[in-house]
Amino acid sequence: ETETETETQPGASTQQTEAHNRHINRNKSTLQRDRTEKEQPATTNTSREWTVARCPWTKALVLISLFCRWVGFNGAVGEKQLAWMRSELQAAADAGDKVIVSGHVPLCPGSCHPICLTWNYEQVLEVLHAVPGTVVACFTGHDHEGGYAVDKCGIHHVTVPALLECPADDTAHGVLEVFADRLELHGFGRVQTRTLPFP
């Protein structure tokens, strides 16, 4: 069963949260994504709070509830931060600038395991989408396996794999080149090379 049985949210009891975290940790350890499928963005249905992940031992697609993001090692973007972001993005849009957003916790379903999503990712995406064509990419971490998705407005969401998960003979880093119409990510080791055209 991949759906979380308890929709744990801030304010839940310690006992509920511990039970929820045990359930999620079991799911996360048994539903690691198949690395060979990472080149394709994940399929996401944010309005129904589900995302599709690949079950490695069967190659089957399974549904995982996005509610599993309500865990203590994630967080939310506060109202003051959202207001600041709106203001900065509007100024960039007015100036005709392009913006790359960088942070730790992923913002888009499909770009990471659902357990690693920002609690209020929908609010953050609304802010990013309010200035179409301004935000071109978001680079995050947090999910050590890494991931990639393109949202409905064409913004690229790259979750960079963690270097600390690499064996001694592997690596995980990249070089990003910025052009007038695209980004070129030159990956090394576990970071995939990608061309990211602007929306």
Side-chain angles (χ1 to χ4, degrees):
E1 188 72 68
T2 57
E3 181 181 359
T4 57
E5 296 171 7
T6 306
E7 295 172 7
T8 307
Q9 298 190 14
S13 72
T14 302
Q15 190 174 24
Q16 286 175 316
T17 301
E18 288 174 355
H20 179 73
N21 288 347
R22 282 194 302 274
H23 177 78
I24 294 306
N25 288 335
R26 281 196 307 271
N27 283 345
K28 188 174 182 187
S29 66
T30 57
L31 293 173
Q32 293 297 323
R33 287 153 302 176
D34 184 357
R35 288 185 185 276
T36 62
E37 299 297 328
K38 284 198 178 173
E39 198 60 43
Q40 299 298 321
T43 303
T44 306
N45 184 346
T46 57
S47 64
R48 294 181 183 270
E49 288 288 326
W50 292 96
T51 191
V52 175
R54 192 163 293 277
C55 185
W57 61 87
T58 64
K59 304 296 184 189
L61 293 177
V62 294
L63 291 175
I64 299 177
S65 172
L66 298 182
F67 285 116
C68 71
R69 71 185 184 275
W70 298 105
V71 291
F73 55 76
N74 291 336
V77 179
E79 286 301 324
K80 288 183 179 179
Q81 293 170 312
L82 289 171
W84 172 82
M85 188 180 291
R86 282 189 201 96
S87 174
E88 292 295 311
L89 291 179
Q90 189 59 60
D94 293 344
D97 293 337
K98 300 295 184 186
V99 174
I100 298 170
V101 174
S102 179
H104 184 72
V105 183
L107 303 171
C108 181
S111 67
C112 63
H113 190 286
I115 200 172
C116 293
L117 275 173
T118 298
W119 289 339
N120 62 335
Y121 73 87
E122 291 167 308
Q123 287 180 286
V124 181
L125 288 177
E126 283 177 13
V127 173
L128 302 185
H129 296 165
V131 284
T134 299
V135 179
V136 297
C138 297
F139 287 86
T140 59
H142 197 44
D143 183 344
H144 292 185
E145 291 291 312
Y148 172 71
V150 180
D151 69 28
K152 67 180 183 180
C153 290
I155 299 172
H156 302 274
H157 294 263
V158 179
T159 304
V160 181
L163 182 60
L164 65 87
E165 299 285 353
C166 294
D169 61 346
D170 201 358
T171 189
H173 66 276
V175 174
L176 187 67
E177 290 188 288
V178 180
F179 296 91
D181 61 343
R182 72 193 189 281
L183 303 174
E184 294 285 349
L185 175 59
H186 303 282
F188 297 88
R190 295 186 179 188
V191 175
Q192 291 185 4
T193 294
R194 301 181 188 277
T195 297
L196 311 173
F198 291 171

